[in-house]
């Protein structure tokens, strides 16, 4: 009786950084061998992809908001992980907000694991949260198994996950460095954000969250890493203006990694129609030249990875106030006329 459950054959199979013609054998959900395309392998199922199809490793998405428990009506682990599997994502790492409670204590982590365990269709891991009340207790979460600690440097948009001040950023970095953990940062400087009075013009919104908000915050993160030795990661980089500082920090040996998102690599501000709330995200989609600079930085390795920042929500705001919210690219929510509510 055959021991191989499935063989997938493809003329274009990505192995390492190169394309090969190959046959991939799977047993009990695990790849057990990679052979030549025409290799004789006795398997229960033998699938050959079409010439215009490619065989890729499963995607690891390190930036996903599942929202369960507490906001499961936005999306829970069943929906999130089935959708991930359907799209070829085999691992997701869940952010510590928007769940209630947020993953800022061991107890909250255990609640989230209990909610996830009977539902997941792909591998799932969890980030912890660095908020003012969790500082001094981060080692406990690290030892319980979180992959690192997310913080905001500007208001997060949910009351249960407050942002860190600059001194608290350094405090978190010192604490996390003591056990060689990872600090991941939503890097926008609240002091550089400008009032946004509403209206339908996308350019007005972008102007309220200028490049300086990102560059200033990223400079603080770099300084905190340099001072403490903490490993740091910049989330959803949108501003190419920060690339010179990032490149210089990496050359100097700062323990820094950076991600961007598909929406920053795809859209540009000039192409976004007025009133198109689905494009409103924080930090914002910027101009075409900025987009091309992000692509160049991804190709040359300045930007280390691309993550989705997936986080859907219902059209109704929490609390049943009856005012509609629109989900947007990057899945940040906003109330028309308000500043972007980062989810």
């Amino acid at each position: 009786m055959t021991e191989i459950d499935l063989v997938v054959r493809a003329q274009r199979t990505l192995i390492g950084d190169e394309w090969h013609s190959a046959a991939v054998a799977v047993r009990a959900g695990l790849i057990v061998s990679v052979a030549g395309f025409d290799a004789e392998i006795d398997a229960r199922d033998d699938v050959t992809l079409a010439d215009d199809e490619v065989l890729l490793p499963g995607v690891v998405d390190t930036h996903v908001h599942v929202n369960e428990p507490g906001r499961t009506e936005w999306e829970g682990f069943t929906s999130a992980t089935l959708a991930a599997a359907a799209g070829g994502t085999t691992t997701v790492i869940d952010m510590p907000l928007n769940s209630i409670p947020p993953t800022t204590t061991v107890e909250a982590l255990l609640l989230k694991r209990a909610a996830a365990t009977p539902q997941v269709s792909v591998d799932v891991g969890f980030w912890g949260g660095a908020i003012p009340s969790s500082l001094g207790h981060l080692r406990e979460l690290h030892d319980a198994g979180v992959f690192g600690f997310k913080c905001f440097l500007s208001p997060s948009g949910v009351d249960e996950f407050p942002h860190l001040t600059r001194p608290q950023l350094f405090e978190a970095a010192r604490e996390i460095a003591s056990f060689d953990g990872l600090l991941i940062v939503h890097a926008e400087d609240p002091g550089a954000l400008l009032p946004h009075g509403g209206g339908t013009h996308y350019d007005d919104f972008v102007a309220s969250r200028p490049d300086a908000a990102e560059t200033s915050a990223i400079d603080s993160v770099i300084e905190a890493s340099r001072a403490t030795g903490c490993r740091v990661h910049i989330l959803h980089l949108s501003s190419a203006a920060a690339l010179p500082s990032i490149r210089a920090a990496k050359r100097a040996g700062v323990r820094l990694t950076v991600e961007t998102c598909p929406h920053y690599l795809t859209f540009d501000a000039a192409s976004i129609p007025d009133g198109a709330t689905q494009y409103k995200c924080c930090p914002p989609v910027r101009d075409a030249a900025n987009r091309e600079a992000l692509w160049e930085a991804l190709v040359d390795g300045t930007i280390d990875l691309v993550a989705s920042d997936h986080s859907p929500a219902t059209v109704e705001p929490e609390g049943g106030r009856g005012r509609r919210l629109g989900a947007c690219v990057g899945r940040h929510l906003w109330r028309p006329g308000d500043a972007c509510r980062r989810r």
Side-chain angles (χ1 to χ4, degrees):
M1 191 172 182
T2 180
E3 295 182 352
I4 301 300
D5 301 317
L6 171 69
V7 172
V8 182
R9 304 176 190 272
Q11 294 291 352
R12 296 182 65 205
T13 303
L14 185 62
I15 301 174
D17 293 327
E18 298 179 346
W19 294 104
H20 295 269
S21 175
V24 178
V26 178
R27 181 175 61 233
L30 299 175
I31 294 173
V32 294
S33 69
V34 178
F37 179 85
D38 295 320
E40 293 187 7
I41 303 173
D42 185 16
R44 293 185 180 90
D45 292 299
D46 197 315
V47 176
T48 300
L49 301 188
D51 289 344
D52 62 349
E53 295 178 318
V54 298
L55 183 58
L56 304 172
V59 173
V60 176
D61 191 345
T62 60
H63 194 148
V64 175
H65 296 262
V66 177
N67 309 322
E68 187 176 11
R71 290 189 174 96
T72 310
E73 69 277 12
W74 290 10
E75 182 175 56
F77 285 100
T78 294
S79 172
T81 60
L82 283 171
T89 296
T90 54
T91 301
V92 298
I93 312 298
D94 177 60
M95 285 290 170
L97 74 165
N98 307 311
S99 57
I100 302 175
T103 315
T104 56
T105 65
V106 173
E107 292 75 18
L109 174 63
L110 295 177
L111 284 173
K112 184 167 281 194
R113 280 181 175 157
T117 297
Q119 301 186 69
V120 296
S121 300
V122 299
D123 291 335
V124 175
F126 302 100
W127 297 109
I131 62 175
S133 64
S134 67
L135 299 183
H137 305 281
L138 300 179
R139 180 63 185 259
E140 301 163 22
L141 260 177
H142 171 80
D143 291 347
V146 299
F147 280 78
F149 301 89
K150 180 176 186 176
C151 73
F152 284 78
L153 302 186
S154 58
S156 71
V158 291
D159 293 340
E160 64 271 9
F161 205 94
H163 69 287
L164 300 183
T165 64
R166 191 172 184 277
Q168 288 169 335
L169 167 67
F170 278 71
E171 181 181 348
R174 282 190 294 271
E175 181 178 357
I176 294 167
S178 71
F179 52 83
D180 199 30
L182 176 64
L183 178 63
I184 66 175
V185 186
H186 180 122
E188 288 185 289
D189 181 349
L193 299 178
L194 303 174
H196 179 236
T200 63
H201 300 299
Y202 186 75
D203 285 347
D204 292 342
F205 172 67
V206 176
S208 74
R209 307 188 87 91
D211 294 276
E214 282 189 84
T215 58
S216 173
I218 289 170
D219 285 346
S220 291
V221 175
I222 291 170
E223 185 179 349
S225 177
R226 184 180 288 115
T228 65
C230 183
R231 293 188 295 131
V232 295
H233 178 73
I234 302 299
L235 298 167
H236 44 55
L237 177 71
S238 91
S239 175
L243 292 172
S245 292
I246 291 168
R247 289 187 171 108
K250 288 190 167 190
R251 285 195 300 268
V254 175
R255 305 176 76 190
L256 170 69
T257 53
V258 181
E259 72 182 47
T260 191
C261 299
H263 36 290
Y264 302 126
L265 297 170
T266 304
F267 304 112
D268 68 271
S271 301
I272 296 176
D274 290 342
T277 62
Q278 66 268 33
Y279 294 94
K280 192 174 184 186
C281 55
C282 299
V285 174
R286 304 188 189 275
D287 61 38
N290 182 90
R291 179 191 62 200
E292 296 310 306
L294 292 178
W295 270 111
E296 292 171 6
L298 181 63
V299 170
D300 71 23
T302 304
I303 296 174
D304 298 273
L305 60 96
V306 178
S308 72
D309 200 0
H310 171 83
S311 182
T314 63
V315 296
E316 297 297 333
E318 56 186 308
R321 295 187 293 274
R323 302 181 69 185
R324 293 176 65 82
L325 294 173
C328 75
V329 173
R331 304 305 194 267
H332 312 294
L333 302 182
W334 76 298
R335 186 179 294 109
D338 286 359
C340 183
R341 298 181 67 206
R342 173 64 175 85
R343 295 305 197 191

